Amino acid sequence: MDFGRLITAMVTPFNEQLQIDWEATGRLIDELIEVQKSDSLVVSGTTGESPTLTEEEKLELFRFSVRRAAGRAKIIAGTGSNDTAHSIHLSKLAEEAGVDGLLLVAPYYNKPNQEGLYLHFKAIAEATKLPVILYNVPGRTVVSLSTATTLRLAQLPNVVATKECVSVEQITELVAEAPDGFVVYSGDDGITLPTLAVGGYGIISVASHVVGAEMKQLIDTFLAGSIHEAAQLNAKLYPVFKGLFQCPHPVPNPVAVKHALTVKGLNVGGVRLPLAPASADEQAFIEALFN
């Protein structure tokens, strides 16, 4: 299964009552596929505020996204959690909903060791026929998948990729030792180009909500061998990559990108507590990124 080079970790649009806005969700899916050139969409990942979505909301998002995408892009369901049994349960239901793959975040809060991490992902992967993308984001989960554990999991037939929010050094190690058919995605927009340069496959992105077409151009330009032009495109995009997480001080994802979408004319609503909406200063900073 090839999920493509540019995958968007999609926000979940809410209405004024902070319930899922299905009309806005449909418009967003169309925008990400047709305008921003996403090859695949992650639904109900961290950017989609998965910790505050109910199971039924997640399942309806999976079903709705599959219907709306209608084969134009692949739909990847975020079904990982810190409860292995529930992740298996949700992954099976996602498979029934018709999604194309799963994104499984490393279990947070429990702080398992490497053997626990291996057994957790192995149990979920073996419970489904869907292709699995691992998600290593120690800044949110506290634990980090080691290179050795990731490569061990890569031996499982349906573990096909990893999303890495770590150093370029670890990405380099993974690329060098990964088995055929296993690919490495950056989970950090700011290192998209360095990831490609060391042999990574692509990006699972937040910024692609608003600059996806430009990011696809960056990727295609690099792959065509125009390194200098790719570097110029990267330099142009970097303020957006950085600004959506530092505006001008750190803000939790997806607060900034949701406001950025509103600035760009696609209202996706606010965020659910415990996330707080962007302050007036943060909103002004985000708006200045696109003016």
Side-chain angles (χ1 to χ4, degrees):
M1 174 70 71
D2 185 356
F3 292 109
R5 304 276 184 172
L6 179 66
I7 302 173
T8 297
M10 191 179 80
V11 303
T12 300
F14 295 136
N15 60 24
E16 290 183 0
Q17 290 73 44
L18 294 180
Q19 300 302 306
I20 297 175
D21 185 330
W22 296 107
E23 183 179 346
T25 301
R27 290 197 304 269
L28 178 61
I29 290 170
D30 291 345
E31 167 80 11
L32 294 178
I33 296 171
E34 299 297 337
V35 179
Q36 302 298 344
K37 307 302 181 184
S38 295
D39 298 308
S40 297
L41 305 177
V42 173
V43 179
S44 182
T46 310
T47 305
E49 297 177 70
S50 57
T52 58
L53 296 174
T54 67
E55 180 174 299
E56 186 49 46
E57 285 176 324
K58 292 178 182 180
L59 292 173
E60 187 52 41
L61 274 169
F62 300 157
R63 291 188 286 260
F64 180 91
S65 300
V66 168
R67 291 195 303 270
R68 187 69 175 223
R72 294 175 296 159
K74 295 181 174 64
I75 301 299
I76 302 165
T79 58
S81 73
N82 65 341
D83 177 350
T84 308
H86 186 259
S87 295
I88 290 171
H89 166 73
L90 188 58
S91 296
K92 289 179 175 179
L93 293 176
E95 185 170 355
E96 292 175 9
V99 303
D100 299 291
L102 305 176
L103 182 73
L104 302 179
V105 69
Y108 38 85
Y109 192 81
N110 302 7
K111 295 185 73 174
N113 61 15
Q114 293 299 310
E115 184 64 14
L117 289 169
Y118 173 77
L119 293 172
H120 168 82
F121 286 114
K122 180 174 182 286
I124 303 169
E126 289 180 343
T128 179
K129 295 178 182 177
L130 290 173
V132 166
I133 302 174
L134 309 173
Y135 181 14
N136 188 28
V137 56
R140 284 185 178 264
T141 64
V142 183
V143 294
S144 182
L145 275 164
S146 69
T147 299
T149 301
T150 301
L151 293 171
R152 189 179 173 198
L153 287 163
Q155 300 301 319
L156 300 173
N158 62 328
V159 176
V160 300
T162 183
K163 174 186 177 182
E164 294 288 327
C165 296
V166 291
S167 66
V168 175
E169 180 181 12
Q170 185 162 327
I171 290 172
T172 303
E173 293 171 355
L174 285 167
V175 169
E177 300 182 49
D180 290 344
F182 184 84
V183 300
V184 180
Y185 289 96
S186 171
D188 179 348
D189 288 309
I191 60 169
T192 301
L193 184 56
T195 296
L196 294 170
V198 299
Y201 194 69
I203 175 72
I204 300 180
S205 173
V206 174
S208 56
H209 282 89
V210 286
V211 289
E214 294 91 336
M215 294 181 72
K216 178 60 76 71
Q217 183 185 3
L218 164 63
I219 293 167
D220 291 345
T221 299
F222 176 84
L223 295 174
S226 300
I227 309 304
H228 180 67
E229 184 181 350
Q232 290 178 316
L233 289 168
N234 183 69
K236 183 178 178 181
L237 290 169
Y238 191 75
V240 175
F241 296 161
K242 183 178 180 181
L244 290 177
F245 291 86
Q246 305 276 341
C247 57
H249 44 75
V251 292
N253 186 42
V255 172
V257 74
K258 276 196 156 183
H259 186 65
L261 280 163
T262 299
V263 171
K264 299 282 277 186
L266 190 59
N267 188 354
V268 294
V271 291
R272 286 178 174 175
L273 288 170
L275 296 180
S279 68
D281 287 348
E282 289 164 352
Q283 289 183 25
F285 180 90
I286 295 162
E287 290 159 14
L289 286 174
F290 301 100
N291 292 325

